């Protein structure tokens, strides 16, 4: 089951794109509204996953029926049955993940979860120049502006938590990797893991120099 801070990170990630570029405008943007919008997005994602699972079950059922009444030969029927089984398995896996959804929504509406999401968003917004400079120094053959937005935001959250919210470095990297597995592309979590490990090395090197 997901923990409260995992949900808070997801809310922060969903809300971070709505932050103003200028931290001085943060209050005008009403951070609470940003978090509420993120909760609505998360709820919509839950509903979409359930709808997709239902559609997959229906398609599997249709293929099973077709295998019985429309297949021209045994081989075609077997193919239809196999496709139906695969669709049903996919739907079952999706529904298994959906077992967490009620808890996710309940957690997202808890005050401590909202508070931590707000803390993340505040630290990212008010310290973005420092965070982005660390990212730039840790990228190899990449420019920060050319990174996928979701990857950039996941790493900003991790750095903010490590630098300003007291999250242990290893935990911060691991949590970012888990977020990336859910929201980024196939190779995103590996890329993020590598960059954040270099970020941590730079943070530690700077601490030693001081």
């Amino acid at each position: 089951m997901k923990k409260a801070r995992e949900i808070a990170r997801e809310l922060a990630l969903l809300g971070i794109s709505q932050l103003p570029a200028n931290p001085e405008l943060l209050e005008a943007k009403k951070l609470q509204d940003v978090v509420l919008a993120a909760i609505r997005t998360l709820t919509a994602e839950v509903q979409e996953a359930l709808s997709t699972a239902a559609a997959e079950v229906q398609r599997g059922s249709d293929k099973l029926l077709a295998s019985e009444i429309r297949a021209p030969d045994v081989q075609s029927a077997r193919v239809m049955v196999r496709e139906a089984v695969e669709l049903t398995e996919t739907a079952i896996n999706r529904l298994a993940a959906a077992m967490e959804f009620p808890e996710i929504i309940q957690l997202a509406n808890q005050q401590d979860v909202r508070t931590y999401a707000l803390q993340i968003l505040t630290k990212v917004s008010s310290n973005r120049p420092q965070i982005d400079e660390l990212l730039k120094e840790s990228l190899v053959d990449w420019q920060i502006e050319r990174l996928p937005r979701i990857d950039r935001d996941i790493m900003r959250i991790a750095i903010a938590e490590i630098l300003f919210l007291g999250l242990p470095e290893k935990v911060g990297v691991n949590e970012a990797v888990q977020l990336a597995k859910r929201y980024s592309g196939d190779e995103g979590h590996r890329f993020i893991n590598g960059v954040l490990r270099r970020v941590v090395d730079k943070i530690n090197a700077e601490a030693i120099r001081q």
Side-chain angles (χ1 to χ4, degrees), residues 104-123:
I104 290 172
I105 300 304
Q106 183 182 20
L107 281 171
N109 281 289
Q110 288 182 0
Q111 187 58 49
D112 59 336
V113 174
R114 293 190 189 191
T115 298
Y116 193 66
L118 286 171
Q119 289 176 347
I120 292 173
L121 290 169
T122 301
K123 294 301 182 184

Side-chain angles (χ1 to χ4, degrees), residues 190-202:
R190 294 187 181 89
F191 174 77
I192 285 171
N193 181 63
V195 174
L196 286 179
R197 289 188 183 282
R198 288 193 292 274
V199 168
V200 167
D201 287 344
K202 287 184 178 297

Side-chain angles (χ1 to χ4, degrees), residues 18 24 53 71 82 99 109 124 127 131-132 154 173 186 202:
Q18 302 177 51
E24 294 178 1
R82 186 169 62 250
M99 295 295 289
N109 281 289
V124 169
N127 297 282
I131 291 171
D132 284 0
I154 288 172
V173 174
D186 292 340
K202 287 184 178 297

Side-chain angles (χ1 to χ4, degrees), residues 58-68 80-81 83-84 87:
Q58 184 61 55
R59 283 162 51 207
S61 175
D62 292 344
K63 284 187 178 293
L64 277 177
L65 181 61
S67 72
E68 294 177 1
M80 289 180 181
V81 170
E83 290 174 348
L87 279 167

